């Protein structure tokens, strides 16, 4: 057998020197390689140190006994790294072909729900849908979507209407983002209700106005949740009642969706209470002085909170939906390209620390559909309420400006006590945005409570995304709603 190339581990001793002289004489090229196999002698310690560090990062706070679950991930990085001396990867040396890298593998494993818009999500699960445009009194055009009946309904005649309203930086997709047996929008439709999915001004489905262009006009973004409560919510309710020829509607809100419900249903200057027969608050928000999310670190000791936020984020849109964010959610949160645990943690630092209820396989889908955007002014309003620990309207920063806006020198305080709509509240112990201390304020003031349920280990997002929400929340919710808003 004739060799044209001979490879040894890198070690300087007389034997290697002698071999080099011999190989030169007979015309064989001698190369040195870095350690990969145990035959590489002492250099294997370098690999061990590298592998030990990588394994520690993968295991993290998890049970050390589960190390075997992460070994392949750690080794893969070593196996696909090209060795300087050979110009080949260990994977190629062993198998004769190069490995397909995770980014390539993940392309074929992308969940199609990552790319679907809300109507495609609904249609892909076999449900009928309609798209509606609701124009508010101040000119905002809201995207509202309808599931008139279940996928296996014996009749196409819709039942009584129920409006589902999403939370902060979210969209109506949150109600249909899981599988049919786990998503409240689908569950209500299968139960016989006429389901309407609302979107407030400024998110990806309500980014339009009869006069202003959201991409160019600062005036478009001059709103906060005050306006969502006073204009968006009544506009959607009355539009739905007009379309369905019904006199009352059921309402279910999550997070910010509960905030605008508490604010508007307790407003005695309008008649909307008469048109809502029942509503349910999931992760209820009114006061937010004890919230634990990273948002609180964007506060400042300065009295110029509004200017501080404008300096950081401008005056227009905050965390808008974009193709870049969708791609990051789709690829970076996939199983192979990026550790999904990191994406889970990004969600948990906002909603709360408990991840046991999260459907990990859906994380790329959740990340692809959020955030959906809002105004900087809306975020400032949340920060104001956190600082003051009051359920109050937007503070324009001076007695003169408040007087001009509200005919009083301070922002008006919203009343929960005056609300008469039968209300069910579902709250949690690990919710960082709807903190139990703040929820206590609601219980201290509400006089129309007909049902409440506490879930100790739920966080803020579990109310709409948890794989167990159908059993722990939705069944109870529907049973109570049927008493006050029967199908």
């Amino acid at each position: 057998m004739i060799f044209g190339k001979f490879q040894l581990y890198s070690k300087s001793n007389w034997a290697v020197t002698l071999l080099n002289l011999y190989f030169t004489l007979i015309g064989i090229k001698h190369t040195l390689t870095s350690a990969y196999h145990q035959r590489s002698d002492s250099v294997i310690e370098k690999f061990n140190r590298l592998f030990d560090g990588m394994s520690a990062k993968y295991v993290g706070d998890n049970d050390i006994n589960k190390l075997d679950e992460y070994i392949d991930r750690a080794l893969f990085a070593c196996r696909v790294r090209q060795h300087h001396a050979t110009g080949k990867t260990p994977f190629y040396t062993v198998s004769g072909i190069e490995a397909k890298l995770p980014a390539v593998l993940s392309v074929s494993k992308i969940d199609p729900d990552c790319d679907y818009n809300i109507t495609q999500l609904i249609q892909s699960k076999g449900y009928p849908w309609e798209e509606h445009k609701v124009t508010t009194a101040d000119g905002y055009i809201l995207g509202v979507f309808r599931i008139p009946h279940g996928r296996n309904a014996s009749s196409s005649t819709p039942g009584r209407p129920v409006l589902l309203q999403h939370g902060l930086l979210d969209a109506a997709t949150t109600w249909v983002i899981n599988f049919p047996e786990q998503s409240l929008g689908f569950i209500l439709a299968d139960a016989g209700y006429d389901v309407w999915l609302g979107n407030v001004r400024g998110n990806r489905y309500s980014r339009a106005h009869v006069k202003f262009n959201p991409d160019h006009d600062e005036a478009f973004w001059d709103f906060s949740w005050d306006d969502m409560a006073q204009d968006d919510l009544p506009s959607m309710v009355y539009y739905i009642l007009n379309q369905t020829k019904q006199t009352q509607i059921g309402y279910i809100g999550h997070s910010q969706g509960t905030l605008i419900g508490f604010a508007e249903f307790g407003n005695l200057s309008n008649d909307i209470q008469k048109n809502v027969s029942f509503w349910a608050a999931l992760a209820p928000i009114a006061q937010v002085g004890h919230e634990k999310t990273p948002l609180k670190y964007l506060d400042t000791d300065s009295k110029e909170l509004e200017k501080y936020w404008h300096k950081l984020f401008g005056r227009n849109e905050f965390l808008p939906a974009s193709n870049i964010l969708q791609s990051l959610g789709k690829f970076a949160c996939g199983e192979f390209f990026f550790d999904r645990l990191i994406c889970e943690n990004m969600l948990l630092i906002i909603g709360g620390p408990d991840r046991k209820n999260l459907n990990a396989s859906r994380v790329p889908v959740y990340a692809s559909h959020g955030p959906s955007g809002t105004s900087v002014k809306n975020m400032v309003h949340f920060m104001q309420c956190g600082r003051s620990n009051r359920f109050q309207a937007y503070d324009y920063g001076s007695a003169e400006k408040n007087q001009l806006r509200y005919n009083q020198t301070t922002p008006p305080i919203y009343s929960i006590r005056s609300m008469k709509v039968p209300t069910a509240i579902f709250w949690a112990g690990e919710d960082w945005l709807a903190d139990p201390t703040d929820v206590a304020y609601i219980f201290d003031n509400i006089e129309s409570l007909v049902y409440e349920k506490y879930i100790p280990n739920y966080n803020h997002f579990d109310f709409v995304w948890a794989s167990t929400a159908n059993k722990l929340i939705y069944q109870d919710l529907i049973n109570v709603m049927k008493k006050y808003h029967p199908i």
Side-chain angles (χ1 to χ4, degrees), residues 162-324:
V162 179
L163 172 61
L164 275 59
Q165 190 54 56
H166 63 78
L168 177 64
L169 292 168
D170 205 352
T173 49
T174 201
W175 304 108
V176 292
I177 205 167
N178 276 339
F179 303 110
E181 65 277 7
Q182 298 172 337
S183 299
L184 183 56
F186 295 136
I187 292 172
L188 287 171
D190 286 334
Y193 284 103
D194 180 7
V195 179
W196 294 75
L197 310 172
N199 288 284
V200 292
R201 61 186 65 195
N203 85 351
R204 71 171 70 199
Y205 295 107
S206 297
R207 209 172 175 273
H209 193 278
V210 297
K211 179 180 178 182
F212 302 124
N213 184 330
D215 294 324
H216 304 292
D217 297 323
E218 185 178 311
F220 178 90
W221 300 104
D222 185 20
F223 65 81
S224 77
W225 58 260
D226 283 335
D227 306 284
M228 300 173 193
Q230 296 165 13
D231 292 308
D232 294 2
L233 181 53
S235 295
M236 289 187 283
V237 168
Y238 292 132
Y239 177 90
I240 294 169
L241 293 177
N242 183 59
Q243 289 288 312
T244 60
K245 309 304 179 186
Q246 297 279 344
T247 58
Q248 287 188 314
I249 193 173
Y251 179 78
I252 301 173
H254 172 245
S255 184
Q256 180 183 261
T258 72
L259 181 70
I260 64 176
F262 284 122
E264 187 63 9
F265 298 154
N267 185 356
L268 296 179
S269 63
N270 62 51
D271 295 327
I272 194 172
Q273 290 202 56
K274 299 176 182 178
N275 300 112
V276 181
S277 58
F278 168 85
W279 85 286
L282 311 182
I285 290 178
Q287 287 185 351
V288 290
H290 298 86
E291 60 100 2
K292 300 183 181 71
T293 75
L295 290 175
K296 69 178 183 179
Y297 298 110
L298 292 175
D299 197 354
T300 172
D301 294 333
S302 170
K303 294 182 179 180
E304 303 292 341
L305 177 64
E306 189 175 36
K307 291 183 179 179
Y308 174 75
W309 267 71
H310 288 166
K311 186 175 181 179
L312 287 176
F313 303 108
R315 294 177 175 272
N316 296 345
E317 196 168 10
F318 182 79
L319 288 184
S322 70
N323 291 333
I324 294 176

